[in-house]
């Protein structure tokens, strides 16, 4: 059965463009409850650890530099069928392919600076949530 928790973070392009409030409004209006949230900044080393799964990909180095270039807003969200419903709300990784009305279609600048992250599985939601917040299961 699908879990009720997902992990997200607003990326440096969205935060620096002052879209934090508008994106959070869309998240809440879509029925997600924010159960953990902070504004922080990753070092390139921390970004490297977070994205370790992509370390063989050609975009890994640029991605780590980009994700440590400014503030981010990590959040844990709660809703029935959270992972799948949230990925529908944010749209495709490449904003050029994202559906109308999705967060990435509205706010993302490029495939790298794509405004927001959303976990791709219940398992990764817990791993990623625990990366930024202690003991996700308490939520
Ligand atoms: P996300 O799915 O949140 O996590 C992995 C990130 O890598 C992805 O968002 C993009 O920001 C980035 N990414 C994925 N594919 C590419 C690509 N082909 N070129 C550059 N960045 C990418």
């Amino acid at each position: 059965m699908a879990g009720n928790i997902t992990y997200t973070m607003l990326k440096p392009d969205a935060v620096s463009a002052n879209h934090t409030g508008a994106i959070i409004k869309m998240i809440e209006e879509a029925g997600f409850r924010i159960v953990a949230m902070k504004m922080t900044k990753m070092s390139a080393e921390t970004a490297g650890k977070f994205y370790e799964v992509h370390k063989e990909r050609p975009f890994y180095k640029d991605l780590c530099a980009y994700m440590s270039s400014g503030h981010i807003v990590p959040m844990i969200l709660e809703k029935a069928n959270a992972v799948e419903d949230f990925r529908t709300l944010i749209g495709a990784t490449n904003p050029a392919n994202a559906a109308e009305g999705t967060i990435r279609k509205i706010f993302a600048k490029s495939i790298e600076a794509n405004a927001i992250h959303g976990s791709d599985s219940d398992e990764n939601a817990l791993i990623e949530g625990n990366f930024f917040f202690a003991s996700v299961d308490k939520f």
Side-chain angles (χ1 to χ4, degrees), residues 3-138:
N4 64 346
I5 288 286
T6 193
Y7 169 79
T8 183
M9 61 186 159
L10 308 190
K11 298 187 180 184
D13 57 294
V15 177
S16 66
N18 267 357
H19 291 146
T20 300
I23 294 174
I24 287 175
K25 187 167 190 279
M26 285 182 72
I27 291 170
E28 290 188 324
E29 285 180 351
F32 293 86
R33 200 165 71 86
I34 300 167
V35 294
M37 176 169 73
K38 63 184 169 187
M39 167 101 53
T40 188
K41 203 171 169 188
M42 287 194 279
S43 65
E45 190 191 1
T46 301
K49 281 187 197 137
F50 184 84
Y51 285 111
E52 200 154 14
V53 63
H54 294 307
K55 71 173 182 288
E56 305 304 333
R57 309 284 283 274
F59 57 81
Y60 175 70
K61 202 164 163 247
D62 281 353
L63 176 63
C64 295
Y66 167 65
M67 285 301 298
S68 56
S69 69
H71 287 91
I72 58 168
V73 181
M75 286 180 258
I76 294 170
L77 306 174
E78 194 177 80
K79 182 185 182 296
N81 202 37
V83 166
E84 192 186 338
D85 286 1
F86 195 69
R87 285 173 75 82
T88 300
L89 176 67
I90 67 178
T93 304
N94 186 345
N97 302 328
E100 289 300 329
T102 60
I103 291 174
R104 283 172 171 158
K105 185 69 174 185
I106 297 167
F107 296 105
K109 295 186 169 132
S110 67
I111 191 168
E112 179 179 79
N114 64 352
I116 191 164
H117 171 80
S119 300
D120 63 4
S121 66
D122 291 343
E123 187 191 1
N124 282 337
L126 287 179
I127 292 169
E128 292 169 0
N130 273 313
F131 191 92
F132 285 96
F133 302 97
S135 302
V136 164
D137 58 0
K138 80 180 178 210

